Amino acid sequence: MQKKIQSALISVFYKDGLEPIARKLQELGITIYSTGGTQKFLEDLNIKCVPVESLTTYPSILGGRVKTLHPAVFGGILGRRYEPQDLAEMKEYNIPEIDLVIVDLYPFEETLRTTTEEKLIIEKIDIGGPSMIRAAAKNFNDIVVIAEKDQYPFLEKLLKDQKGETSLEQRKDFAAWAFDVVKRYDTAISNYFNPGTKQVLRYGENPHQKATFYGDLKRFFTQLNGKELSYNNLVDVDAAVQLIHEFRDTKEKVFAIIKHTNVCGISQRKTVKQSWDDALAGDPESAFGGVLVCNGTIDKATADAINEIFFEVLIAPSFNADALEILKTKKNRILLQLQTSNFSLQSPSKALLNGILEQAPDERNYEKWEEVGGRQTTEAEKEDLIFANLVCKHLKSNAIALVKNKQLVGKGCGQTSRIDSLRQAIEKSKQFNFDLHGAVLASDAFFPFNDCVQIAHAAGIEAFIQPGGSVRDKDSVEYCMTNNLAMVMTGMRHFRH
């Protein structure tokens, strides 16, 4: 439904970028209502506007805190043009129809970055602005709402190309953007009033980057020792607890080492000490400066062994007193007791392109267990394949995990080619003297050709797990059948970018 803009209400904090829009509105004969500083700005440009006070019969009062909060303004925004009763009441009370609302909110976040003075910060909490934005967005059937100056170019083009007419779809898109603006604004204010949820970090991913953490770590961890967690610590700790969460129902002990969010060592054994020894053996070089995580109690023997290397963070559900005494000898070493009963996977989100991507957690290991090779997997191979697939799920794509006796013996990750990841994994295994005969391979995505299977087989691997889904799955399957190799297809891809 096309609608022509006849009137506009403009009330903005920052005036930059507003002039060409205001001139275009004037050129199209659109009545402009305005307030305070915005009114003066427009009048200085010889752009005619109607003071909001002429509608409300009240001046701007209380130091500017109240100027638009009035039925004459909100009636003009919220009035439904398709409801005869609304139109009759608007006529009775001399409320004009407002077709365009342009608001730029008080700079609350910018003020936080420049001062800690509470009085100045509180005065930058906009009240009328968010209310007008919400009202106009709610009434998108009749109104165009512009909620921040980043939208000015879109409005200017629309006014120029469509002569002030808008479609219902366009008005609804502006409304969706407006609600997001208000949500972000309210979140910033909420975070200010809930300081326990905001933590300014020493720096970000690199020393020249500022960073802030919004969240409640105490809900998941009790910090027993060490310095404040850094940005990179938090990222790796998140990767570590997501990985150990996979083994929450495992009776044996699992120890893992995380480096730059990738698993560089992991094993599953009867004791914590055995699990640590074999996790470290998988790649002792990469373990330097890593984040360690375990699903069992850290005892003295394990603490003695761990104490021999440099690491950033150790996470476990519990620590023996004598183990803590050993581990606390280095004051900066971060020890976190994980409240496993409180931990649950969150929906991962990522900010990009002036928006936010959100998705469901990557839960479960496999969708199906389809044996498609030249032979069935042995019981030992099946256990290793299940373990390897979980590990592979926590490596950056393209990912390959080589596992033998529930120990990671080689991995390749973050490569642009799956063959490169496989070669990297095989080289890692050779570097630390692992025999790949009897090992299994997990791939986070399908094999588009049979080259990976051939290369792995030449290195001694005889069992594979992969999601399948390639138009050339049969190439890898035929190679396995010809060479009596086991292959499982799971129907579940585990990309991690």
Side-chain angles (χ1 to χ4, degrees):
M1 179 175 61
Q2 293 290 121
K3 290 205 66 163
K4 187 172 180 62
I5 298 170
Q6 304 284 357
S7 62
L9 171 61
I10 308 177
S11 180
V12 299
F13 187 87
Y14 291 118
K15 315 301 187 291
D16 46 309
L18 182 62
E19 181 180 350
I21 290 172
R23 292 201 183 281
K24 193 64 184 177
L25 293 173
Q26 181 173 254
E27 179 187 319
L28 292 170
I30 295 169
T31 302
I32 300 174
Y33 297 94
S34 194
T35 64
T38 306
Q39 178 189 333
K40 184 179 184 307
F41 172 80
L42 295 173
E43 289 173 344
D44 288 346
L45 293 171
N46 293 318
I47 295 173
K48 187 178 179 182
C49 61
V50 179
V52 166
E53 288 94 326
S54 67
L55 300 179
T56 64
T57 70
Y58 276 90
S60 175
I61 61 173
L62 306 181
R65 281 188 165 198
V66 179
K67 46 185 177 283
T68 58
L69 295 169
H70 192 279
V73 174
F74 279 86
I77 297 172
L78 285 166
R80 293 162 292 187
R81 319 301 155 78
Y82 56 86
E83 286 285 352
Q85 182 64 33
D86 285 11
L87 293 173
E89 290 179 358
M90 291 170 74
K91 183 177 181 181
E92 179 182 355
Y93 296 109
N94 296 316
I95 297 173
E97 296 180 10
I98 296 172
D99 307 312
L100 168 64
V101 172
I102 303 175
V103 174
D104 179 42
L105 300 172
Y106 292 171
F108 181 79
E109 289 184 274
E110 292 91 329
T111 304
L112 283 181
R113 288 194 286 267
T114 58
T115 184
T116 58
E117 188 176 338
E118 186 177 81
K119 183 179 178 181
L120 295 176
I121 292 169
I122 297 303
E123 287 308 313
K124 288 300 182 286
I125 297 176
D126 204 323
I127 303 300
S131 300
M132 287 191 289
I133 290 172
R134 283 179 176 277
K138 177 179 179 177
N139 205 18
F140 66 85
N141 191 74
D142 297 305
I143 293 181
V144 177
V145 57
I146 303 299
E148 61 181 356
K149 59 184 179 181
D150 288 349
Q151 296 175 292
Y152 289 178
F154 299 99
L155 176 61
E156 187 178 354
K157 186 175 188 305
L158 183 150
L159 292 171
K160 189 180 297 184
D161 294 349
Q162 298 174 208
K163 309 300 183 188
E165 287 196 351
T166 62
S167 67
L168 178 61
E169 184 180 13
Q170 288 170 332
R171 295 192 296 276
K172 194 169 184 177
D173 285 344
F174 279 124
W177 192 339
F179 279 123
D180 187 60
V181 169
V182 175
K183 179 183 74 174
R184 286 186 274 120
Y185 193 77
D186 286 344
T187 298
I189 295 169
S190 175
N191 289 334
Y192 172 73
F193 280 96
N194 294 278
T197 66
K198 176 182 177 181
Q199 181 181 345
V200 177
L201 305 176
R202 296 194 301 276
Y203 53 82
E205 203 162 5
N206 297 291
H208 64 278
Q209 293 173 271
K210 294 181 180 179
T212 305
F213 174 72
Y214 296 95
D216 185 7
L217 292 175
K218 291 179 182 178
R219 180 182 171 192
F220 301 118
F221 303 109
T222 300
Q223 184 162 347
L224 305 176
N225 190 70
K227 60 187 178 181
E228 186 180 276
L229 286 158
S230 70
Y231 180 100
N232 291 331
N233 288 157
L234 288 166
V235 173
D236 281 340
V237 165
D238 178 68
V241 294
Q242 285 193 49
L243 171 63
I244 210 67
H245 186 70
E246 302 278 12
F247 300 96
R248 58 193 177 279
D249 298 323
T250 303
K251 293 181 179 178
E252 288 191 316
K253 306 307 177 188
V254 177
F255 219 120
I257 305 165
I258 307 295
K259 195 70 175 290
H260 302 307
T261 73
N262 283 302
V263 193
C264 63
I266 185 171
S267 77
Q268 181 176 321
R269 298 290 182 260
K270 293 186 181 300
T271 70
V272 172
K273 173 65 163 55
Q274 288 175 326
S275 184
W276 161 252
D277 288 342
D278 289 345
L280 179 64
D283 189 348
E285 187 176 78
S286 296
F288 181 86
V291 168
L292 319 180
V293 65
C294 178
N295 67 348
T297 300
I298 304 297
D299 54 27
K300 183 179 183 299
T302 308
D304 278 328
I306 294 172
N307 202 44
E308 294 177 3
I309 76 161
F310 167 70
F311 65 90
E312 289 276 357
V313 185
L314 170 59
I315 310 161
S318 56
F319 297 78
N320 286 344
D322 49 3
L324 273 179
E325 187 177 345
I326 294 164
L327 294 168
K328 284 184 175 182
T329 54
K330 291 184 171 57
K331 66 177 183 178
N332 285 333
R333 181 182 280 163
I334 300 168
L335 305 177
L336 300 176
Q337 185 171 344
L338 177 63
Q339 309 299 324
T340 51
S341 60
N342 291 338
F343 181 78
S344 61
L345 291 177
Q346 295 175 307
S347 297
S349 61
K350 181 182 292 187
L352 49 78
L353 299 175
N354 199 34
I356 296 175
L357 275 178
E358 187 173 89
Q359 62 178 340
D362 182 9
E363 299 185 275
R364 295 182 296 140
N365 191 346
Y366 48 87
E367 186 72 37
K368 61 182 179 178
W369 188 273
E370 185 180 0
E371 303 259 3
V372 297
R375 61 174 176 82
Q376 295 286 298
T377 55
T378 66
E379 193 58 36
E381 284 175 335
K382 183 174 182 178
E383 289 185 8
D384 272 354
L385 287 168
I386 291 171
F387 183 87
N389 208 46
L390 283 178
V391 173
C392 193
K393 177 180 170 181
H394 292 268
L395 292 169
K396 290 289 189 293
S397 301
N398 291 305
I400 295 288
L402 307 181
V403 166
K404 188 173 182 178
N405 301 325
K406 295 181 184 174
Q407 177 188 22
L408 183 64
V409 295
K411 53 95 178 57
C413 52
Q415 302 301 307
T416 54
S417 160
R418 194 161 302 281
I419 296 176
D420 286 342
S421 290
L422 175 58
R423 287 172 178 151
Q424 183 188 62
I426 292 171
E427 285 306 308
K428 272 290 181 184
S429 69
K430 289 179 180 177
Q431 182 182 353
F432 301 112
N433 301 314
F434 286 105
D435 180 3
L436 290 180
H437 289 87
V440 306
L441 180 153
S443 172
D444 66 343
F446 59 66
F447 298 123
F449 306 100
N450 65 7
D451 42 15
C452 281
V453 179
Q454 289 188 49
I455 293 168
H457 182 214
I461 294 166
E462 297 189 357
F464 302 83
I465 188 167
Q466 56 128 330
S470 169
V471 294
R472 298 187 61 170
D473 277 342
K474 62 181 179 59
D475 293 2
S476 296
V477 171
E478 286 175 359
Y479 184 88
C480 288
M481 296 186 74
T482 301
N483 292 278
N484 199 36
L485 307 177
M487 176 172 281
V488 174
M489 288 191 183
T490 67
M492 180 175 276
R493 192 182 72 186
H494 288 300
F495 270 163
R496 183 170 290 247
H497 291 102

